[in-house]
Amino acid sequence: MTVFTGGPLLLGVRHHGPGSARAVRAALQAAAPRVVLIEGPPEADALIPLAADKEMRPPVALLAHVVDEPGRSAFWPLAEFSPEWVAIRWALESGVPARFIDLPATHTLAWGKDVLDQEDEPGDAPPAGPGRPVEAAVRIDPLAVLAETAGYDDPERWWEDVVEHRSVAGGDPFAPFTVLEEAMEALREAYGVGGHDRDLVREAYMRLQVRAAEREFGDGVAVVCGAWHVPALRQRTAVGADRALLKGLPKAKADLTWVPWTYRRLSRVSGYGAGIDSPGWYGHLFGAQDRPVERWMTKVARLLRDEDRMISSAHVIEAVRLADTLAAMRGRPLPGLTETTDAVRAVMCEGSDVPLALVRDRLVVGDVMGEVPESAPAVPLQRDLARLQRRLRLKPDALEREWELDLRKETDAERSRLLHRLRLLGVQWGEPTVSRGSTGTFRETWRLRWEPELSVRVAEAGVWGTTVLAAATARAEADAVAAHALADVTALAERCLLAELPDALPVVMRVLADRAALDADVGHLAQALPALVRSLRYGDVRGTDTRALTDVAAGLAERIFVGLPPGCAALDTEAAEEMRRHVDAVHGAVALLGETAAASAADASSLSGTAPDAHRTPSSTGIRGRWHAVLRVLAGRDTVPGVIRGRAVRLLLDEGELAQDEAARLMGLVLSPGTAPGDAAAWIEGFVGGGSGGGMLLVHDERLLGLVDAWLTGVPAEAFTDVLPLLRRTFSAYEAGVRRTLGELVRRGRGARGSTAVATSGIPGFAPDLDPERADAVLPVLRLLLGLHESDIDDDQVGDDNDLVGVAR
């Protein structure tokens, strides 16, 4: 092995290029330099030895963030096929020092505060991440110019042909770098630096670092950097001129560490322009020692077979042959991604782009996620999170996974608390979704997917505390004080219960009580109550004390009861519809609040030894009774919009507080000729619309259906056009079967609907009372379904066969 003695060995590369990575490894092996200088932040020199850790698995990234402002951060991603990673690994394996020589992160982070996010230059992917310091984009694409000069219309295709598919075995290992340097020098002479003013500063700093390394190690210096910078580093400028460019640069105290990265974040699909469209394909090219096309087609076949597609060995053979044929026809040295994709589409996907999209997502881009050893520096919050992830067996994964959590199990309950606490901190690792197969509060469903940017969010959240619990508590308290809307505070109270933050809840409740006392808008109060009452149910599942919430919710409900009737007067159509939604939400909240109060009263009675009814009357019954009184006021007040009056009547009817005869009377009054058609249509929408099950109500109550039918047929022609959109919206929300049944009932009973009163015998299937003979006919079937025999029926328990019908119901 001969030591390189021809001055600094400048290896210009394209970041994340497997061909460049192989060429760098061959050149370093041939030159055997005494030190390797790599484009990257010099503050990360202490982190280089971690690359040799057995737990370090690329893709990974260097994360730099401002200590006092973690949101200002930058990433330097590296994959196993990145030339910089190959250089680091070669240096560590060879016992040669490796150093980063780019402009320090302390300057780039301070510099990048007001820099726009623009496209990266080909051959030199700058740091990336939230608020990343990205220099101004070049006005030319060097690869595009070179490809066009060579007669290619696609820069990616040209790069693959001349670099990625080039073998260095048995050839000159320095030849590709010499040729690329000459090409870049010609481009820089023709186009200048392309508008990259900051490149001058970066290159001046790198030249100073190269000179320092030459003084220390002599001629045995190798430099791995973006090909665009090689001509500038070759120049011998005055040291004073370089230092002058660095004078007065802004600074910001920065911390650096290694974080996991993903193939998806290396691709342009994710919005990060790392210079490659296909990290999965490049990873395959770098890892395949021989026959890359055959091995790739085997991967594709395995993926499609896993998706239940019939792919045989013959498909693989024919796809390889087609790819080779396409490469020969197009004058390419080897099949590239374009040829393999065309072959896969034609042979394995039968010309369809649907399975081809799966191949691109899973293989061409890929879901590979790197790993970082525990010994890597991290903020205390990150360490606590990693400890919890290991203990709860929630491993971060780049592939989206769904978790079903049973909150009755301690481990699942802890997982739920962790995910909710992270959401409070702005770390959106998990997204709650609708549980399948169960609507109970003891079950939660989460979709988990770890993105590299979440490492920044964790570092940013570190200002709130050193543990997840402490940080979430502090963040919740601060958010409560800063919140302006009452609904925001109630939603925060619910999240505190979900995250089980007992220390934060008193602060949130105090702020909630203050906001509720000052807010006189009944709409705001009605919007805040449901979330607050919804929180009460978590006491049973999570063992949380919700008595303070119950008191505040009851007080909030009383204020709504007082303010709702005057607040519903003189509303326009849009405001009336919004208030109708508030009425629905309050109705559900009052029902739940009444159940909670009843349960609390039952607990109190069990402790005191008194009768349960004695405790229930002033709590649950009183709250619901007050609400029913409010609904009666809304139902009978003419100044209230029709959609709210109709909904109030419907809610009272559903609660059993209003007889069907009375509901029919109120509907008849509203649908009388003296009421404007628009008001009547709004009343109907409130009564039977809005997803309230009004369709089934009309199916089973022929009197109400007859009233609506008679009114609708009597609407004047000039008013019918105005009310039709409202009625169409109301009835189109019904299920198809309900609409079909209503149409059949109207058709059959049309002759009997001449007035607002409909004879019950006018519609087949309806009768004024139960028919005992018809009921007796179904008893044998009911006994069979229930697994009962006549001898099993106790007369004292059932009474008669009619009770059996009730049991079945």
Side-chain angles (χ1 to χ4, degrees), residues 479-553:
D479 288 350
V481 174
H484 297 289
L486 181 60
D488 293 339
V489 185
T490 56
L492 183 60
E494 181 179 13
R495 297 174 68 185
C496 287
L497 285 171
L498 290 169
E500 195 170 314
L501 302 177
D503 293 337
L505 196 57
V507 177
V508 176
M509 295 306 303
R510 183 170 62 252
V511 174
L512 176 59
D514 295 341
R515 295 283 193 279
L518 296 176
D519 199 330
D521 191 322
V522 67
H524 294 167
L525 299 177
Q527 189 177 6
L529 181 63
L532 185 60
V533 176
R534 211 166 40 238
S535 304
L536 299 176
R537 62 180 177 173
Y538 303 129
D540 295 334
V541 179
R542 302 171 184 269
T544 307
D545 188 358
T546 58
R547 286 176 294 181
L549 279 177
T550 304
D551 296 338
V552 174

Side-chain angles (χ1 to χ4, degrees), residues 421-698:
R421 289 169 183 173
L422 291 176
R423 284 175 61 81
L424 270 171
L425 291 171
V427 182
Q428 307 293 334
W429 179 20
E431 184 71 24
T433 185
V434 178
S435 296
R436 295 174 298 180
S438 175
T439 58
T441 58
F442 66 87
R443 187 177 299 278
E444 282 184 350
T445 302
W446 291 82
R447 288 196 182 99
L448 271 60
R449 182 173 183 173
W450 186 266
E451 300 285 359
E453 284 81 356
L454 295 180
S455 298
V456 179
R457 302 281 82 82
V458 173
E460 195 171 7
V463 300
W464 298 104
T466 58
T467 66
V468 175
L469 175 59
T473 299
R475 177 67 183 271
E477 293 175 351
D479 288 350
V481 174
H484 297 289
L486 181 60
D488 293 339
V489 185
T490 56
L492 183 60
E494 181 179 13
R495 297 174 68 185
C496 287
L497 285 171
L498 290 169
E500 195 170 314
L501 302 177
D503 293 337
L505 196 57
V507 177
V508 176
M509 295 306 303
R510 183 170 62 252
V511 174
L512 176 59
D514 295 341
R515 295 283 193 279
L518 296 176
D519 199 330
D521 191 322
V522 67
H524 294 167
L525 299 177
Q527 189 177 6
L529 181 63
L532 185 60
V533 176
R534 211 166 40 238
S535 304
L536 299 176
R537 62 180 177 173
Y538 303 129
D540 295 334
V541 179
R542 302 171 184 269
T544 307
D545 188 358
T546 58
R547 286 176 294 181
L549 279 177
T550 304
D551 296 338
V552 174
L556 198 62
E558 290 294 339
R559 295 190 59 197
I560 294 173
F561 297 163
V562 173
L564 192 58
C568 290
L571 298 177
D572 59 20
T573 303
E574 184 176 350
E577 179 59 29
E578 182 180 2
M579 189 62 73
R580 196 269 307 165
R581 291 193 293 268
H582 289 329
V583 170
D584 283 346
V586 171
H587 182 74
V590 168
L592 185 57
L593 184 60
E595 294 175 2
T596 304
S600 300
D603 293 340
S605 66
S606 63
L607 294 175
S608 62
T610 57
D613 292 341
H615 293 271
R616 181 176 179 179
T617 301
S619 55
S620 63
T621 305
I623 291 173
R624 300 186 70 167
R626 289 275 292 116
W627 174 241
H628 294 156
V630 173
L631 292 177
R632 290 190 183 91
V633 173
L634 294 177
R637 187 169 290 183
D638 293 338
T639 56
V640 174
V643 67
I644 299 177
R645 285 186 287 126
R647 182 48 55 92
V649 172
R650 175 61 191 280
L651 294 177
L652 288 171
L653 180 64
D654 290 344
E655 289 283 300
E657 297 295 321
L658 189 69
Q660 289 190 350
D661 291 341
E662 180 63 15
R665 186 186 70 82
L666 293 175
M667 178 182 282
L669 292 175
V670 171
L671 301 183
S672 63
T675 304
D679 294 340
W683 196 97
I684 292 176
E685 183 185 23
F687 187 76
V688 296
S692 61
M696 293 302 299
L697 179 66
L698 294 178

Side-chain angles (χ1 to χ4, degrees), residues 122-138:
D124 188 6
R132 67 180 184 268
V134 180
E135 58 267 25
V138 293

